[in-house]
Amino acid sequence: MKISATIITLNEEKNIGACLESLDFADEIVVVDSGSTDRTKEICLAHPCVIYHEHHWEGFGRQKNVAAEIASHDWIFNIDADEQVSADLRRSISSVDVTIFTGFKVARENYFGNRRIKHCGWYPDYNLRLYNKKMGRFSEREVHESVNCQGPVGTLAGNLLHYSYDGISDFIGRINRYTSLSAVEMVNSGKKPGAGSMLFRPFYTFFRMYILKGGFLEGYAGLVLSLLFAQYTFLKYAKARELAKGIF
C-alpha cells in the first residue's frame, strides 16, 4: 500500500520541519499552502518527498480535500503541521490491513506548552486520519472538520503527537479566528443562539472539562485550560448572536 501524507499550512516554519521528519513512512507528502510569508515553503521544498502546492484559502475542510485531490495515491494520511507521528504509530501504519477497513482512527496525545494533558477530554482524542480517498473525504466545514468515511473504520496503535498551544498567550492569540469561523458556521446553519447560550454553555464547558473529564487531576494546567475553553465557548456564541441579531 502506498500512502500520500497531506498537510495544509500557513506560516508554519516553527513546526513543519519536525512534522515532515516524522513522515518517513509516506511515499509522498503533499503540502497545500495558503500564502505563507515565512520560511514554510523553503523548508518544505528542501524535503525530497514534498509536492508543494499553493492554493487560496477556502476553509479547513476544503483545503484538506484539495490536498487529497492532488495526491497520487488513494490512501491518505492527513496531519496538521503542529503534529508528529510517533514511532509506535509509524509501525502501526506500516502493518494496516486495508482489505477490511476503509479508514483508521488515531489517538492524539495533546500538549499544552511542554506538558502532556491526559485529562480535560484531551486524551485519547480519536481522529480519523488514515483513509482511502475513494471512500472518504473531509466535511467542508470552516473549522472542526472531520473525515466522513464509507465502510468499516479501524483504530491504529500508537499516538499522534499534537503540540497544540505554546501557552496561554498562544491560545488567546488564536481563538479570535477560530471563534469567528465557528460563529459564521453556526449562523449559516440556521442557528440563532440566545443570551442563555452565552451564559450557560461556557459554564457547562468548564464543568465538563474540569469535573466530568477530570481536569482537576491536571492541577493548575487543568484549571487554566478549562477556563480558557469556557472563554472560547462564550466568544463563539456571543459572536454568533452578534451576527444573527446584533447585540448593541
Side-chain angles (χ1 to χ4, degrees), residues 7-125:
I7 315 171
I8 63 172
T9 56
L10 175 64
N11 294 331
E12 291 286 357
E13 66 177 6
K14 180 180 70 175
N15 298 311
I16 193 64
C19 178
L20 293 173
E21 288 177 9
S22 75
L23 295 171
D24 55 3
F25 63 89
D27 297 284
E28 69 175 7
I29 304 170
V30 177
V31 176
V32 173
D33 187 83
S34 55
S36 290
T37 55
D38 64 0
R39 296 180 58 248
T40 298
K41 181 176 182 178
E42 176 187 341
I43 295 168
C44 289
L45 292 179
H47 194 284
C49 293
V50 166
I51 298 170
Y52 187 86
H53 184 82
E54 294 179 351
H55 186 83
H56 65 280
W57 182 252
E58 293 192 75
F60 285 97
R62 178 57 187 151
Q63 291 293 106
K64 292 182 177 183
N65 286 332
V66 167
E69 290 161 9
I70 295 169
S72 304
H73 308 303
D74 289 337
W75 278 91
I76 305 295
F77 183 81
N78 178 258
I79 186 171
D80 291 336
D82 59 359
E83 296 173 337
Q84 298 169 29
V85 180
S86 68
D88 287 342
L89 180 55
R90 284 199 292 273
R91 285 191 289 269
S92 181
I93 291 171
S94 299
S95 61
V96 293
D97 185 350
V98 297
T99 63
I100 298 175
F101 300 105
T102 59
F104 296 86
K105 295 186 296 182
V106 176
R108 286 204 303 180
E109 182 178 307
N110 291 296
Y111 288 78
F112 187 63
N114 293 322
R115 174 166 179 163
R116 179 185 175 184
I117 304 297
K118 300 179 182 179
H119 303 92
C120 293
W122 270 32
Y123 188 79
D125 186 27

Side-chain angles (χ1 to χ4, degrees), residues 164-236:
S164 54
Y165 303 102
D166 290 340
I168 296 171
S169 295
D170 185 31
F171 184 97
I172 293 172
R174 285 199 264 168
I175 63 171
N176 188 47
R177 181 190 183 198
Y178 289 127
T179 53
S180 293
L181 291 171
S182 294
V184 168
E185 189 171 75
M186 194 183 305
V187 173
N188 288 344
S189 68
K191 297 178 181 177
K192 297 181 179 180
S197 294
M198 295 166 54
L199 178 62
F200 294 110
R201 289 182 182 272
F203 172 79
Y204 179 72
T205 295
F206 176 83
F207 180 76
R208 179 176 55 82
M209 290 185 67
Y210 193 68
I211 303 298
L212 299 181
K213 297 295 184 179
F216 62 90
L217 297 171
E218 298 285 352
Y220 177 71
L223 177 63
V224 168
L225 274 176
S226 301
L227 288 169
L228 286 173
F229 274 92
Q231 179 191 33
Y232 178 101
T233 302
F234 170 78
L235 291 172
K236 177 177 68 175

Side-chain angles (χ1 to χ4, degrees), residues 75 100-104 128 130-138 147-154:
W75 278 91
I100 298 175
F101 300 105
T102 59
F104 296 86
L128 201 161
L130 179 63
Y131 65 100
N132 186 327
K133 68 180 181 181
K134 291 182 177 179
M135 303 296 290
R137 61 187 283 111
F138 275 91
V147 177
N148 296 319
C149 201
Q150 302 175 35
V153 172

